[in-house]
Amino acid sequence: MTQHRRRLGAWLLAGVVLAVVLTLYQADRTGVSDPAAAPPVTPTAVPSGTAAPAPTATPSPSATPSPTPSPGSAEPSPSGSGGPASSCTSPGACGFPDENSTGPRIALERHDTGNMSVKKDGTVIKGWDIRGSLDVYANDVTVIDSRITSTNWWGINLRPGFSGLKVLHTTITAVPGKGPDNGGVNYAVSNMGGSSVEVGWCDISVFGNALSMGQGDLHDNYVHELVAFRNQGGEWQHTDAVISGGGNKGRLILRHNTLLNSTPVDRGATAAVGLFADTGVVSSVVVDGNWLAGGAYALYGGGPGATGIQVTDNVFSTQYHPGAGAYGPVAAWNAGGAGNVWKGNRMSDGRPVTPEPTG
């Protein structure tokens, strides 16, 4: 009887062990080793419209840096448009440059240079807080992560015969009433050279005609607070965030900038973007994905004879005038010019912008 009980107990124990083994085997097949049974991994959310900061490259005379987005700034969409397809309230809120995405990204060291001439090719100015201006008589000069406060005719000027100027992540401003033109200052960046210059991620203010050039690559800049003044002849100086006088041999590109001209019309306000045939026919200009506001008209399109003017996906803001400019969004548009394109432009409240026919 004792032997019989021992055998029965052994069989019961074996059965229990077998049941446990089968249970564990089944659990392993349906839970732990089955990817479908594991809880999904949720990716970390990134705020919409925010680009990861890129490491800052230190430029050298032999290799100027490729421009990189400033930390916190949003990359423009492939079409160049900086904002949504419907209404838009302010530049920064709609993905366009403002004071938070432009200017220097590092601490600055004060340099009281006065009106300084740069004459060495490949010069790199980085981290300088300049009290003065830069007159560039050299090739491949880079000004990056700096600040310029000028009381000269310009903040930075590229002289004829020189090329390769880059101005990146820099604040360029002036002292109102202290400039040489009857107290006024004229140009934040002036290109007198025969080739393109690059101006990107810059915070520019005060100058009457902030960015003056027939050719260049102007992108991701914030131009604002232009200051009206009477020139030496006693006349109100015309003010423009960007001005081009025509006759250029290269291409002028304006892409993803905030260009504001709050100057009153009776004090010289002309345009946010002024393409004028002052020194020759206007040609080969791209105005793409910018926020434009102010002036008599926000955009002057080059006038009769203008060719190769592409105006696409821009927002004409009502922040100063219901029509973007005091008299409307656009004037002097040559609809019949070869290669001229007008597409996707709208008011900040979503209305499409169509140029008036020119006579």
Side-chain angles (χ1 to χ4, degrees), residues 260-277:
L260 309 180
N261 186 353
S262 59
T263 306
V265 174
D266 61 359
R267 295 192 175 192
T270 308
V273 175
L275 307 178
F276 304 112

Side-chain angles (χ1 to χ4, degrees), residues 289-334:
N290 302 281
W291 177 282
L292 310 177
Y297 290 90
L299 170 70
Y300 281 82
T307 59
I309 315 298
Q310 301 174 31
V311 182
T312 55
D313 295 327
N314 297 282
V315 175
F316 289 78
S317 171
T318 60
Q319 65 191 93
Y320 303 131
H321 307 287
Y327 306 126
V330 57
W333 173 251
N334 181 19

Side-chain angles (χ1 to χ4, degrees), residues 106-112 126-130 145-147:
I106 61 176
L108 305 181
E109 178 182 350
R110 180 161 172 166
H111 289 258
D112 293 314
K126 181 175 182 179
W128 285 25
D129 184 356
I130 296 171
D145 286 317
S146 295
R147 177 184 175 91

Side-chain angles (χ1 to χ4, degrees), residues 4-165:
H4 180 69
R5 286 178 178 171
R6 285 178 181 171
R7 285 178 183 172
L8 181 58
W11 280 111
L12 288 173
L13 180 60
V16 170
V17 171
L18 180 60
V20 171
V21 170
L22 288 174
T23 300
L24 292 175
Y25 174 73
Q26 184 67 18
D28 181 67
R29 289 185 64 225
T30 59
V32 178
S33 63
D34 185 357
V41 178
T42 304
T44 302
V46 178
S48 175
T50 301
T56 303
T58 302
S60 65
S62 60
T64 51
S66 298
T68 55
S70 60
S73 65
E75 285 283 1
S77 64
S79 67
S81 176
S86 58
S87 62
C88 222
T89 55
S90 67
C94 299
F96 291 91
D98 63 7
E99 67 276 9
N100 298 313
S101 58
T102 55
R105 303 161 294 178
I106 61 176
L108 305 181
E109 178 182 350
R110 180 161 172 166
H111 289 258
D112 293 314
T113 64
N115 300 328
M116 185 175 78
S117 294
V118 180
K119 297 185 176 180
K120 182 179 179 181
D121 288 354
T123 296
V124 175
I125 294 174
K126 181 175 182 179
W128 285 25
D129 184 356
I130 296 171
R131 307 305 167 97
S133 64
L134 300 177
D135 205 0
V136 180
Y137 296 84
N139 298 310
D140 302 322
V141 171
T142 297
V143 181
I144 186 170
D145 286 317
S146 295
R147 177 184 175 91
I148 294 172
T149 305
S150 173
T151 55
N152 197 3
W153 294 92
W154 54 75
I156 303 175
N157 181 42
L158 180 66
R159 288 289 179 171
F162 300 96
S163 63
L165 174 66

Side-chain angles (χ1 to χ4, degrees), residues 125-213:
I125 294 174
K126 181 175 182 179
W128 285 25
D129 184 356
I130 296 171
R131 307 305 167 97
S133 64
L134 300 177
D135 205 0
V136 180
Y137 296 84
N139 298 310
D140 302 322
V141 171
T142 297
V143 181
I144 186 170
D145 286 317
S146 295
R147 177 184 175 91
I148 294 172
T149 305
S150 173
T151 55
N152 197 3
W153 294 92
W154 54 75
I156 303 175
N157 181 42
L158 180 66
R159 288 289 179 171
F162 300 96
S163 63
L165 174 66
K166 294 178 183 288
V167 185
L168 309 173
H169 297 288
T170 291
T171 294
I172 309 172
T173 190
V175 181
K178 299 295 184 180
D181 195 358
N182 197 29
V185 287
N186 294 74
Y187 312 110
V189 181
S190 170
N191 180 11
M192 298 173 66
S195 66
S196 180
V197 305
E198 180 182 2
V199 183
W201 303 288
C202 289
D203 184 326
I204 298 169
S205 61
V206 179
F207 293 88
N209 289 300
L211 296 170
S212 174
M213 61 194 69

Side-chain angles (χ1 to χ4, degrees), residues 272-290:
V273 175
L275 307 178
F276 304 112
D278 294 337
T279 57
V281 174
V282 179
S283 63
S284 193
V285 180
V286 174
V287 183
D288 176 58
N290 302 281

